[in-house]
Amino acid sequence: GVTRLLLTRIPFFKEIIVSSFSCDSCSWSNTEIQSAGRIQEQGVRYTLAVTSRQDMNREVVKTDCASARIPELDFEIPAFSQKGVLTTIEGIIDRAVAGLEQDQPARRATDEGVARKIDNFIGKLRQLKEVSSPFTFILDDPSGNSFVENPHAPQRDGALVVTHYRRSPRQCAMLGLEVTGPAQLPWAAWDLLAALSLPQVLQFNTNCPECNAPASTNMKIVQIPHFKEVIIMATNCDSCGHRTNEVKSGGAIEPQGTRITLRITDPSDMTRDILKSETCSVEIPELEFELGMGALGGKFTTLEGLLKDIRDLVEKNPFTLGDSSTPSRTGKLQEFIGKLQDIIEGKTQAHFIMDDPAGNSYLQNVYAPEEDPELRVQRYERTFEQNEELGLNDMKTEGYETEAASGR
């Protein structure tokens, strides 16, 4: 047969390799995808409540290292057990059925009981395709490169929950990301620099996330007036020209969450400085738009810059306005982009809401230290689920030495 390989760039998933095999003798064909870009900074978990046949047609990008689960059947497709694929929810179930049926003739000859149990389980999987009763589909990818379609984009999908999380040491080892020895020294040096609040720029060597060529990352502490210290990191590759920047909070998680609401009434509001942390979600009620925590990462920019990043995120997503989109969805998203552009240009008034459970986000008060009539900052107590996402429920900073000693 013939195998064809195509290296293509999808903005939402960076670069991927599409491989297609076809056999002229038996007409068998197969397609696979592999991620050719870098592993994302956080893992991602998609939890979808499947309630209708339309949900079965949602497009799914499943990489090699992603696992898929259906808790109602206690069924799981482990990581690295299948090649990466671009398919649908129904396609993943069909692929699982085909894999289970592959060795059934041999099982019936050697162990009739096991073969009968697998036949019953295959029947249950096929019943899922009819969606006679709701079930849950969970896609967990430590590399952060998998995706489940939101057909209501850019609006929020009530049936789909997207959770970004920090990888465990075991998941890092599985992806080959274990950091040992001298590689940890720059971080230790940076912790010392942060403790001393020195103005120097720390520079350490790294590899470009796009072309893997040697590059350098600059890190510096910046004091935001009337807020706190933040850490700005910038990487510039002289080989391929790739540039990236990221902002992280230089302080601890606040005792309370923060909800910041700005009423945009004038084009000058677009020049307000804004710090969006990784744990911050963004909402624009007039557009029925919500950007979940983890999306776009941490950013220190202006309100105009953040809105333009949101616009680019929608425009460059192949499942919204690319070749994979449908004409009806394209029309709705073009209308959304037009309304967003009117807000950026100051033609439309709107509310801009930032909700950060960690309390590490910031929106500039142009009247500081006086009160801003268009800006409202609310403090609230975090829920158990929010503390769980931030890893605070299991965190113990006092008395752990005594417990560890008694455990030994």
Side-chain angles (χ1 to χ4, degrees):
V2 178
T3 298
R4 294 178 175 87
L5 297 176
L6 173 65
L7 176 64
T8 182
R9 175 182 291 272
I10 299 179
F12 192 83
F13 301 108
K14 307 299 181 183
E15 292 181 341
I16 65 170
I17 300 173
V18 181
S19 61
S20 174
F21 175 81
S22 61
C23 177
D24 295 333
S25 299
C26 65
S27 300
W28 186 78
S29 61
N30 184 34
T31 59
E32 297 177 1
I33 68 166
Q34 294 180 1
S35 176
R38 66 185 181 94
I39 295 175
Q40 303 303 310
E41 294 187 359
Q42 292 183 315
V44 64
R45 182 184 301 107
Y46 293 88
T47 304
L48 173 65
V50 181
T51 58
S52 65
R53 285 288 302 173
Q54 287 76 13
D55 290 332
M56 300 296 292
N57 296 327
R58 292 184 186 233
E59 292 178 322
V60 176
V61 173
K62 179 183 177 297
T63 63
D64 295 2
C65 57
S67 63
R69 291 192 297 120
I70 301 176
E72 287 77 3
L73 295 184
D74 197 18
F75 173 71
E76 180 176 2
I77 303 175
F80 298 105
S81 62
Q82 293 180 350
K83 294 292 185 181
V85 65
L86 172 59
T87 180
T88 61
I89 302 290
E90 183 176 6
I92 288 181
I93 294 177
D94 285 338
R95 200 177 187 192
V97 169
L100 291 172
E101 287 182 334
Q102 184 176 1
D103 296 328
Q104 278 297 84
R107 291 192 190 100
R108 292 190 183 98
T110 57
D111 195 332
E112 182 67 26
V114 173
R116 190 180 306 110
K117 292 180 181 179
I118 293 179
D119 283 334
N120 293 335
F121 189 80
I122 291 174
K124 294 179 180 179
L125 284 176
R126 285 176 172 162
Q127 288 177 2
L128 292 181
K129 295 167 57 177
E130 303 300 327
V131 198
S132 55
S133 61
F135 66 92
T136 305
F137 176 80
I138 301 174
L139 184 67
D140 192 331
D141 187 357
S143 72
N145 287 323
S146 290
F147 177 79
V148 175
E149 178 191 10
N150 173 10
H152 307 290
Q155 299 177 10
R156 183 178 181 180
D157 188 347
L160 182 64
V161 178
V162 184
T163 305
H164 296 267
Y165 61 88
R166 296 185 181 276
R167 285 182 287 268
S168 65
R170 181 178 179 181
Q171 290 172 324
C172 289
M174 180 181 69
L175 298 174
L177 296 179
E178 286 281 72
V179 180
T180 57
Q184 293 178 344
L185 293 180
W187 290 103
W190 182 248
D191 290 339
L192 177 61
L193 184 63
L196 297 176
S197 298
L198 297 178
Q200 288 91 341
V201 175
L202 181 70
Q203 184 178 84
F204 62 91
N205 296 327
T206 183
N207 290 338
C208 174
E210 294 294 332
C211 67
N212 206 36
S216 59
T217 296
N218 296 324
M219 306 176 70
K220 189 179 188 301
I221 295 178
V222 176
Q223 177 69 44
I224 299 179
H226 308 286
F227 189 54
K228 60 172 69 175
E229 290 180 341
V230 297
I231 302 171
I232 297 181
M233 298 177 290
T235 303
N236 186 15
C237 179
D238 296 331
S239 179
C240 67
H242 174 74
R243 301 179 66 183
T244 181
N245 63 80
E246 187 178 357
V247 177
K248 293 185 179 294
S249 173
I253 294 177
E254 295 295 318
Q256 293 179 310
T258 304
R259 182 180 176 88
I260 305 173
T261 303
L262 172 67
R263 183 169 176 264
I264 302 174
T265 58
D266 190 84
S268 61
D269 288 330
M270 293 293 110
T271 62
R272 292 177 184 247
D273 289 334
I274 187 171
L275 170 65
K276 176 194 172 298
S277 72
E278 293 179 339
T279 57
C280 178
S281 61
V282 174
E283 183 180 354
I284 305 176
E286 287 76 5
L287 301 183
E288 296 183 357
F289 172 79
E290 182 174 346
L291 185 72
M293 64 165 56
L296 294 178
K299 284 187 174 292
F300 184 35
T301 178
T302 61
L303 180 57
E304 180 182 8
L306 183 60
L307 292 178
K308 286 183 176 180
D309 287 339
I310 293 174
R311 181 192 63 192
D312 294 341
L313 182 67
V314 175
E315 287 181 333
K316 294 180 179 180
N317 188 338
F319 291 99
T320 56
L321 293 178
D323 295 337
S324 300
S325 63
T326 59
S328 59
R329 187 188 308 168
T330 300
K332 293 180 181 178
L333 290 171
Q334 290 289 6
E335 181 182 358
F336 167 80
I337 292 175
K339 293 180 180 179
L340 183 61
Q341 187 62 34
D342 289 341
I343 295 176
I344 295 175
E345 295 174 358
K347 299 178 181 178
T348 304
Q349 296 186 0
H351 289 81
F352 181 81
I353 302 174
M354 301 172 62
D355 192 341
D356 188 356
N360 287 327
S361 293
Y362 163 83
L363 184 58
Q364 182 185 12
N365 176 5
V366 294
Y367 297 94
E370 302 296 330
E371 185 176 348
D372 190 333
E374 306 298 340
L375 185 66
R376 184 177 61 180
V377 181
Q378 298 173 287
R379 302 283 181 178
Y380 63 87
E381 296 294 331
R382 286 185 291 267
T383 64
F384 179 87
E385 290 75 14
Q386 289 173 326
N387 283 329
E388 187 71 20
E389 291 182 357
L390 297 174
L392 299 179
N393 291 330
D394 300 324
M395 185 180 297
K396 186 175 182 62
T397 58
E398 296 179 358
Y400 59 90
E401 303 95 337
T402 305
E403 292 184 2
S406 60
R408 289 195 293 268

